[in-house]
Amino acid sequence: FPSHDTARFGIGNIHFKRKQYHAALSAYTRALACQNEFGEAYYQRGIALNYLNKKREACQDLDKSLELGISAAKSAIERICK
């Protein structure tokens, strides 16, 4: 069985793929409540926040994901935050 954070992250990804960004944001936030060092969740939440035109919050999450070792965050930061 997946852990709670992994399950919530997966639910977030389903919503994200359906372009349901508010629902994805909520699921990623719940995943992070279970595991606050979940770099992939910070990255995906940052991308969802960007789609919701919340650039400042998106950049905070992308910075955190890069700090946690998510290398894809670097190009996203350059594209979104600069």
Side-chain angles (χ1 to χ4, degrees):
F1 293 108
S3 61
H4 289 294
D5 58 328
T6 304
R8 290 182 172 110
F9 180 72
I11 291 166
N13 287 340
I14 291 167
H15 287 301
F16 188 89
K17 288 176 186 166
R18 293 178 178 168
K19 299 182 180 182
Q20 299 168 337
Y21 301 120
H22 285 96
L25 177 64
S26 178
Y28 295 138
T29 299
R30 287 192 310 274
L32 288 163
C34 296
Q35 169 53 270
N36 69 349
E37 297 292 308
F38 195 169
E40 293 93 346
Y42 278 108
Y43 176 80
Q44 284 300 126
R45 189 173 75 171
I47 299 299
L49 284 162
N50 182 57
Y51 278 112
L52 294 170
N53 296 313
K54 296 183 178 193
K55 184 176 176 178
R56 185 179 59 80
E57 296 96 329
C59 292
Q60 289 173 341
D61 276 2
L62 292 169
D63 284 340
K64 181 69 174 178
S65 71
L66 183 62
E67 190 180 298
L68 292 170
I70 306 303
S71 59
K74 184 172 180 161
S75 63
I77 290 167
E78 291 170 2
R79 188 176 71 251
I80 295 167
C81 305
K82 301 295 182 198

